[in-house]
Amino acid sequence: MRVNECKNNNQILNLQDNTNEIDFFTNLPKCPYCKKLSRPAILMFDDCEWIAQSNFMWIDWQQTVNDIINKETQNSLCILELGCGKNVPTLREKSEQLLNEMPNTKLIRINPFEPEADSQIDLTKFLSINNGALSALESIDYFISKIN
C-alpha cells in the first residue's frame, strides 16, 4: 500500500449510515501520519496521477533488483503472475518485458483462461499454469512441502 495525500475519505468512499459497511471499513490501512485511508499501490482506470508518482518508484525497484541479480550469480528473480488476463494486458506485457530484459529471471503465469505467453519469450524461462490462483498456489505449496 502507498499513502495517498490526505483527503476527506468519507466523500471518496461514499459511506452510508450502515453498520455492516462501517464495520467492513474499520480494518482498512491508514496513513500513519494523518490517519486517513491509504490506497492500494496499483494502477486503476483513469489514474494518471498514480503513473507519474509511481514511475520513479518502479525505476528504483527495477534497478535495485537488477543490481541484486547481477551482484551474485546465484541470485535470481521469479515473477509470479496471478490471474492477469488479456483484457487489461499491462501486467502481462511488463512481466514478459522483465523476463526478456533481466538476467536469471523466470516467469510463472497462473491463469485459468489465458496462461500462454503473448510475445516472443524464452520458453525455458516460462511456466504456464492453466488453473485458478488459489488452487495453483495450494498445489505448489503442497509439492514444496514434500521436497523439504
Side-chain angles (χ1 to χ4, degrees):
M1 300 296 255
R2 81 174 166 92
V3 177
N4 204 3
E5 65 181 295
C6 302
K7 294 180 180 175
N8 179 345
N9 288 296
N10 286 340
Q11 269 188 341
I12 293 170
L13 295 173
N14 197 17
L15 293 179
Q16 299 171 1
D17 191 15
N18 180 325
T19 306
N20 291 336
E21 276 187 14
I22 297 200
D23 289 343
F24 175 79
F25 286 111
T26 59
N27 195 25
L28 295 175
K30 295 182 179 172
C31 169
Y33 305 105
C34 70
K35 307 302 181 209
K36 301 279 186 180
L37 291 179
S38 297
R39 62 159 279 180
I42 60 170
L43 176 63
M44 297 184 213
F45 295 103
D46 299 322
D47 204 0
C48 298
E49 182 180 319
W50 184 87
I51 293 172
Q53 293 173 356
S54 299
N55 196 40
F56 294 112
M57 292 187 307
W58 168 253
I59 292 168
D60 287 346
W61 174 87
Q62 194 172 359
Q63 184 60 52
T64 300
V65 171
N66 204 17
D67 290 347
I68 291 169
I69 291 172
N70 289 324
K71 187 176 183 179
E72 305 274 340
T73 56
Q74 75 270 12
N75 290 340
S76 60
L77 172 66
C78 178
I79 302 166
L80 182 59
E81 190 188 274
L82 306 171
C84 298
K86 293 182 179 182
N87 287 339
V88 184
T90 310
L91 283 175
R92 292 172 69 100
E93 292 167 359
K94 186 53 74 177
S95 296
E96 291 183 12
Q97 177 188 354
L98 286 172
L99 182 67
N100 287 328
E101 292 176 358
M102 298 185 84
N104 300 329
T105 300
K106 306 279 192 234
L107 169 58
I108 301 172
R109 175 170 288 153
I110 300 174
N111 190 299
F113 306 110
E114 301 166 324
E116 66 281 345
D118 298 331
S119 62
Q120 294 291 338
I121 59 172
D122 181 351
L123 294 178
T124 64
K125 299 167 53 174
F126 177 75
L127 176 61
S128 169
I129 300 177
N130 187 7
N131 204 338
L134 179 60
S135 177
L137 291 175
E138 288 173 339
S139 296
I140 291 169
D141 183 56
Y142 172 79
F143 286 109
I144 289 175
S145 72
K146 294 297 181 191
I147 293 170
N148 294 332

